[in-house]
Amino acid sequence: MISTFDLFKIGIGPSSSHTVGPMVAARRFRETVLARGGAARISAEIYGSLAWTGRGHGTDVAILLGLLGHAPATIDPDLTTPLSDTLRRTGDLGIPGVHFEPERDLVFNFKDILPLHTNGMRFRAYDAGDALLEDQIFYSVGGGFVVTAAEAEAVSAGDTQTPPLPFGSGRELLDLTLRTGLTIPQIQLANELTLRSREAIDAGLDAIRDAMFACIERGLRMDGELPGGLRVRRRAKRLYESLEATKLANSRPAHEIMDWISLYALAVNEENASGGRVVTAPTNGAAGIVPAVLRYTRDFCPDWNDERGRDFLLTAAAIGGLIKARASISGAEVGCQGEVGSAAAMAAAGLTAALGGSAFQIENAAEIAMEHHLGMTCDPIAGLVQVPCIERNAFGANKAVVAASLSLRGDGEHRVSLDEVIETMRQTGHDMQAKYKETSLGGLAVNVAAC
Ligand code: SF4
């Protein structure tokens, strides 16, 4: 079972797989070393996509912060640079016996890829005689999820917890709704109740919603250039001011509503690109789509209340969990169709549920949104989660609303199933050339000058 709280994680930007995941892995390794009383030296080595795009994604800083014991959900985004700078100066991790020199002990391995996933990390600890004390491999498999090799094998062997209402496909989910009479958010909630109390679930969902909206609010206030040297200017603030200035005008184009949806997504992704506090949904690169559509639901659709917001998130998580289990939500595995496409499918499903759509309409909305992202590659310029990522979220959010609207105006009957489109996404990602999967070795990344 993939929990709603695994898919929606409060963390920091710019990348769930390349920032959040490595920080989590490094922190886990720190705890291992602390449990054995320390070491004389430790090293971290990153492979594949983490090495190729790691500097732009802040992977090195994330690993330093994780080794210092910080977690993505609690670290103050304004302290990431000062903390890592101090570590580079002092070498002090707070682990007995260890002096860590990032230039020597943090290695970008551009040649090799670890066997189970392109986002591999290897942490080692040595004693004073340079004998190996600990040797751990982690994989950051997308959306901030981190597994060891043994954990990855346990999942593929089916050695996982079974929820009371399990579903492994869109078809099974629809059958469950027919058999039990429950809605999709009610089914997801019943499964969540095996992990947490109802009060904890409601509070957790509300905290996710609040973190998403707070991210939008901060993004609307910030101005200036995004970090990284690409000289990309933030534009959410100016767009917001422009929309506010014409709010009471007599003649406004009907398509203005698309600007509001775009605005919310731009605000989140500009915050993400600057390393701010965001909610992984289901990844950081695609973190603007679910919040944008959720905010659109609150501000522009009738009958908003807390319960509708929770139904939105539970439904989006049910769909995101299916996509993760049956294909991937990782740009490094299947390209941007797996990040922005998945987020759009989740948001479309959530909006349809919040507006009272049936289970069949929800499945239809998710299918439409995913279908029209098929084939989309991942080619961020300079390895920064800025171009094309930020605008791409604005498009994904608008497509999600179109998908929900089309579905709600139908009866849920449709030709292509969600399962078929997820499988198509998986196969397309498998066939996609490696250079289009978060390596910055193809596409826009090689055709647009980075400076
Ligand atoms: S192009 Fe898409 S998949 Fe790649 S980093 Fe940007 S948002 Fe993520």
Side-chain angles (χ1 to χ4, degrees):
M1 171 185 171
I2 298 172
S3 166
T4 305
F5 300 98
D6 291 327
L7 279 167
F8 295 126
K9 288 190 286 294
I10 300 172
I12 60 166
S15 168
S16 47
S17 55
H18 290 54
T19 318
V20 174
M23 195 187 302
V24 170
R27 187 166 185 259
R28 281 178 66 175
F29 186 70
R30 171 193 169 90
E31 283 163 6
T32 302
V33 177
L34 281 176
R36 62 177 304 131
R41 182 169 75 85
I42 65 176
S43 69
E45 192 166 0
I46 59 176
Y47 298 80
S49 176
L50 290 182
W52 294 320
T53 64
R55 297 227 187 261
H57 285 65
T59 306
D60 47 351
V61 172
I63 285 182
L64 300 186
L65 295 170
L67 289 174
L68 280 167
H70 294 286
T74 51
I75 188 167
D76 180 345
D78 292 334
L79 292 182
T80 56
T81 303
L83 284 168
S84 59
D85 286 351
T86 302
L87 172 57
R88 287 180 201 279
R89 225 176 34 251
T90 64
D92 183 9
L93 285 175
I95 300 176
V98 174
H99 179 82
F100 190 82
E101 289 183 29
E103 291 304 316
R104 177 196 67 190
D105 299 324
L106 174 54
V107 179
F108 283 64
N109 186 328
F110 298 102
K111 288 198 317 286
D112 305 314
I113 295 179
L114 294 177
L116 297 183
H117 195 282
T118 179
N119 291 338
M121 291 161 274
R122 186 170 193 175
F123 295 88
R124 282 174 273 208
Y126 303 87
D127 69 11
D130 234 20
L132 196 58
L133 298 174
E134 294 286 348
D135 186 355
Q136 291 186 351
I137 288 176
F138 294 92
Y139 296 98
S140 180
V141 295
F145 290 85
V146 168
V147 292
T148 63
E151 288 164 349
E153 275 153 20
V155 170
S156 57
D159 182 15
T160 52
Q161 187 178 0
T162 306
L165 296 173
F167 55 90
S169 67
R171 183 66 255 170
E172 287 177 16
L173 180 57
L174 291 175
D175 288 345
L176 259 183
T177 63
L178 294 175
R179 207 170 68 239
T180 62
L182 297 172
T183 65
I184 289 176
Q186 286 169 340
I187 288 170
Q188 184 74 5
L189 176 62
N191 290 337
E192 295 291 348
L193 283 167
T194 59
L195 303 171
R196 295 171 179 82
S197 68
R198 177 66 193 261
E199 293 71 31
I201 293 168
D202 285 352
L205 292 170
D206 292 351
I208 289 167
R209 175 206 62 200
D210 290 347
M212 288 178 170
F213 289 169
C215 183
I216 290 174
E217 290 305 326
R218 188 172 148 85
L220 296 182
R221 290 196 311 273
M222 303 301 284
D223 209 351
E225 269 182 21
L226 294 170
L230 257 192
R231 310 222 61 190
V232 174
R233 275 195 70 187
R234 286 182 182 250
R235 70 182 123 162
K237 183 171 187 284
R238 278 170 293 142
L239 177 54
Y240 179 53
E241 288 167 353
S242 151
L243 284 166
E244 281 290 317
T246 55
K247 214 170 178 177
L248 299 177
N250 285 333
S251 74
R252 284 151 46 214
H255 68 253
E256 183 191 274
I257 189 62
M258 298 165 78
D259 290 336
W260 283 101
I261 297 165
S262 298
L263 169 69
Y264 299 143
L266 294 176
V268 171
N269 286 85
E270 288 174 359
E271 275 300 286
N272 181 60
S274 62
R277 168 80 62 232
V278 296
V279 179
T280 302
T283 64
N284 278 27
I289 295 168
V290 170
V293 179
L294 186 65
R295 174 76 178 248
Y296 163 77
T297 314
R298 188 194 78 173
D299 290 358
F300 292 96
C301 297
D303 303 325
W304 167 269
N305 56 40
D306 288 350
E307 210 49 54
R308 286 192 176 223
R310 293 173 195 146
D311 282 353
F312 184 117
L313 291 173
L314 287 166
T315 305
I319 299 302
L322 275 179
I323 298 170
K324 175 160 173 51
R326 296 180 68 83
S328 172
I329 57 169
S330 164
E333 273 186 331
V334 292
C336 199
Q337 55 173 358
E339 291 205 16
V340 165
S342 299
M346 293 165 64
L351 175 58
T352 307
L355 296 183
S358 69
F360 285 80
Q361 287 172 315
I362 291 168
E363 186 257 7
N364 189 190
E367 179 278 314
I368 295 171
M370 171 59 79
E371 182 179 329
H372 302 293
H373 285 92
L374 287 176
M376 198 156 72
T377 60
C378 169
D379 53 357
I381 298 173
L384 296 163
V385 193
Q386 297 180 11
V387 184
C389 319
I390 297 172
E391 262 178 15
R392 200 164 268 185
N393 276 255
F395 275 75
N398 277 287
K399 281 194 206 177
V401 176
V402 172
S405 187
L406 283 174
S407 164
L408 284 163
R409 288 188 185 276
D411 59 7
E413 281 286 315
H414 55 109
R415 184 67 188 80
V416 180
S417 72
L418 177 60
D419 292 333
E420 288 167 334
V421 86
I422 292 174
E423 175 57 17
T424 305
M425 190 271 275
R426 189 191 67 77
Q427 289 177 15
T428 306
H430 182 263
D431 293 343
M432 199 180 274
Q433 283 188 36
K435 67 181 180 178
Y436 295 113
K437 293 192 274 193
E438 208 161 358
T439 59
S440 290
L441 299 174
L444 284 171
V446 298
N447 287 304
V448 178
C451 56

